[in-house]
Amino acid sequence: MTQLHRIIADCVFREQQPYTLAELCRARIAPPDGSTITAPAGSSGSDGSLLTLRDYLLSLRINNSPVFQQRAGNTPGISTADTYRFNFVGLLNVGQFMFLVLPKYYRGVTPDIIRGHETHMLEEFAAILNAIRQYLRNPNHKNDAIGFGYEASTDNNSGNLIDLYRFLLEDFAENGLYQSSRRITELNGLGEIDWNRTVNQIVPLRSASSKPVYVDIVSTRSTSDTTTIIRSIQAAVITDISRYLESSGLNMLFHLPTAEPSPKTLSELGDRDQLCRLLWKELRVQFVTRKRLLLRALIQYLEMRSSGQIMPLLAQGTCSFNLVWEDACKVVFNDEESLHATQPPQWDYYEPLDWADSYHQATTKTTISAGEITEDDSDETHNAAGSPLEPDVVALNRDGSKRYIIDAKYYIPRYKPVFPSERGKKPKGQVDRTPGMKDIVKQYFYLMALMPQEMSEGTVVNAAASDEDGGISRGSADSRPSVIAGNAFVMPGQIPLIPELHSLSNAEERNAEQSTEPYVPPREHRKLLVRRGATYFPFMEKQLQAIYGEDVPSSIALFEMDPEQALRLYVGKPDRTAGLERLASMFER
């Protein structure tokens, strides 16, 4: 059992859930080698360390989004002034504290429930980190700063250590140990002839035609020095990092390419100042970009290791897990990005403009699109154009005759059934934390913007088609219109972190009044999708039917998707056939 297995139950927290400082204290662990926590001036003991932790966590940002913040609002039984929450999903190892923060769709995130199920917990948490890494690896998201970053070209000693570890380990896995190249000048060597030196240093013989003949030449060649101390320093650093990650169990989550190429430790090679001087000396004569980045990273590691910084940070995660959920839905439901575009607004204006009442001359109408903005327009004009409205997912059925619109929402609805006192009446209820008015209006807009407007000789004129292609959107192989056959919100289902181990039949025997939470079986026995209900504007049904006929979906379906299964599908190999089957089962009448 690794160190991580022994401590994990006390280190697990949930996104958006309120915690007091006393509850955060249970995440204290043995500090990593070489790290310490220094209490602020005027503080002492554990209280000082905890206040230092709080202040450091409050200072963390990812793309200006706070990782941790003081909770606003009133919570029964909890002092608001001492309550905090994580706006983050992932791992934070901060000095003597480790926080494994789960997405907000989990319930039952308490140490008592987790104990005895540490292996299951680590498996699910590793899947979450894999999904975050999958999102960041996608070239389409290279500009999305949703995670902690690392720049090897900087000398920032307060950054995220895990990204420094990743850079060093992956560079070693790809390129091996450092090799120092040197240019050697030789007399009559096997390298390239250096004619400048040969002409200046060698006396030639004269041929019969008085032409110079060089019997001896000066040559140059490159050689690799495999005995340099830099190689030994790098090998010791790689071994040091690998031993820590493997002994702590953290590499079960990070999946870094660890190795132990050195039998010696850094302390056996010399003290920090001596090793850093050697690295700086090599850096001054090294001009290969990759090797310079490696030397800087080694210097940064040595300085961090012995600096005694207040809060050494190892972190991987995001403050924007909603984007990961949205991207997972694109994969699960076979998103067709080329079908997203909706037609931009057109502006009609008249010129010349005359404010005089006596002016009655006909004006000329000019039409421009919202995107036609010249370079000398003001910033206010650019902002007025806004970003285009595009749905999260647009998918086709097997023959292309139907489209499905899906909006991925990272919401966790809360349902409160309310039963009337009169028997025989339909019970009513309350629901909150659901898609709001703007979300519902947008889904109706997407339906109308993407619905075919008319047919002409086997083609479909679509409102979303651009002017360049004449407004024509190709139909299916048999020229049927690609109509909108489904419109839905998809949210993560609320699931227990540790599933109940008894069977469903046993669960049904329980007194329903003793538990307000529905029974959720283990992942292998769960459905991927469950329809929760629908939302709609009552007046829209007749309006849509009058325009498009009775087959148009007048309501927006609400589905909850098992997030554990969804994330595994996201990081696995896409299966379009399975995606088609899911769409058909969701929207079949």
Side-chain angles (χ1 to χ4, degrees), residues 479-549:
S479 301
R480 288 178 295 171
S482 179
V483 298
I484 306 299
N487 198 356
F489 293 116
V490 175
M491 299 174 288
Q494 301 177 60
I495 58 175
L497 177 58
I498 307 300
E500 299 182 54
L501 301 180
H502 51 68
S503 66
L504 180 59
S505 59
N506 291 335
E508 291 172 342
E509 294 174 359
R510 295 180 303 165
N511 187 340
E513 296 180 355
Q514 294 178 358
S515 176
T516 59
E517 300 289 353
Y519 169 71
V520 179
R523 185 181 66 249
E524 58 270 19
H525 301 303
R526 288 200 292 259
K527 295 179 180 179
L528 175 64
L529 285 156
V530 176
R531 178 162 177 153
R532 170 65 80 165
T535 182
Y536 56 93
F537 292 131
F539 70 88
M540 284 297 293
E541 182 175 4
K542 291 184 179 179
Q543 299 291 337
L544 292 173
Q545 289 180 359
I547 300 173
Y548 303 112

Side-chain angles (χ1 to χ4, degrees), residues 450-469:
L450 298 178
M451 181 71 77
Q453 302 301 299
E454 63 183 11
M455 293 183 59
S456 175
E457 297 182 358
T459 58
V460 180
V461 180
N462 192 296
S466 63
D467 293 335
E468 286 76 5
D469 59 15

